[in-house]
Amino acid sequence: MGLFQNVHEERVRQLNLREPVVCHEDDTVRVAIETMRQHKLGCVFVADQDRRPQGMFTESMLKQMLVQDPNRLDDPIAKHMADQVPWVKLDDPISYVLNAMEEKNMRFLCVVDNQGRIAALTGQKGLMEYVAEHCPGEVLVQRIGGKPYTEEREGA
């Protein structure tokens, strides 16, 4: 199977999914920022008591908010979140991730279970890892700060 066919046949659950970072609507922007910083992620999902997605807050939203009024850090996150959360289900084809990210122009995507509860996080990084795993001969993998991986011997 080629990459094109794999993307249409394999499921989102086969991606390298990440643990989602979740806040509640009454948490402050400051709490959301601290949570993102602790988890080294650029977004946080806002969930209701049943862990269903209600919104999303990203680094770019933070930048826009700070430019407009830097004194809003203690506002509830609900005032500043995007209330349209792009999401896919665990059993959707991986191509749905590509489509949702392109349509919404988002780097991050919420993955929900069959009950609509937040289950995972995926996005650009997950897709790039998927492509690198499926096309190892065509993708040059380099760790941050490291040298590119090659199969050639180094030295004598």
Side-chain angles (χ1 to χ4, degrees):
M1 272 196 294
L3 181 61
F4 180 81
Q5 188 174 354
N6 288 352
V7 166
H8 290 284
E9 293 181 3
E10 292 183 2
R11 303 294 163 202
V12 170
R13 68 175 60 253
Q14 292 172 273
L15 291 172
N16 186 11
L17 301 174
R18 286 166 174 68
E19 187 67 31
V21 178
V22 179
C23 285
H24 298 284
E25 292 177 320
D26 56 345
D27 288 339
T28 64
V29 172
R30 187 180 309 274
V31 168
I33 295 167
E34 289 170 5
T35 304
M36 288 189 300
R37 184 181 299 158
Q38 287 172 355
H39 291 87
K40 297 181 179 159
L41 282 175
C43 77
V44 62
F45 297 120
V46 181
D48 64 13
Q49 299 297 56
D50 295 325
R51 202 171 165 89
R52 287 187 172 76
Q54 301 299 305
M56 182 176 181
F57 186 74
T58 66
E59 292 170 318
S60 62
M61 292 173 187
L62 173 63
K63 288 181 215 173
Q64 291 172 354
M65 185 196 80
L66 291 175
V67 166
Q68 293 171 0
D69 185 357
N71 298 315
R72 311 294 313 249
L73 294 176
D74 293 314
D75 285 357
I77 193 72
K79 285 186 174 183
H80 301 283
M81 68 182 188
D83 57 3
Q84 298 294 316
V85 182
W87 57 269
V88 293
K89 292 182 180 176
L90 285 166
D91 291 320
D92 285 342
I94 293 172
S95 62
Y96 284 26
V97 174
L98 289 165
N99 293 338
M101 289 176 59
E102 186 175 344
E103 285 176 17
K104 305 294 183 189
N105 194 25
M106 300 293 283
R107 292 183 342 180
F108 304 104
L109 204 60
C110 183
V111 180
V112 298
D113 62 17
N114 290 335
Q115 288 75 39
R117 295 181 303 234
I118 298 172
L121 166 73
T122 193
Q124 282 180 330
K125 187 173 182 178
L127 285 174
M128 292 305 104
E129 290 169 347
Y130 177 82
V131 170
E133 287 173 12
H134 283 73
C135 306
E138 289 80 22
V139 177
L140 178 64
V141 179
Q142 179 177 354
R143 294 189 186 273
I144 296 173
K147 295 181 180 179
Y149 170 80
T150 62
E151 292 189 19
E152 298 173 11
R153 287 183 48 193
E154 290 184 20

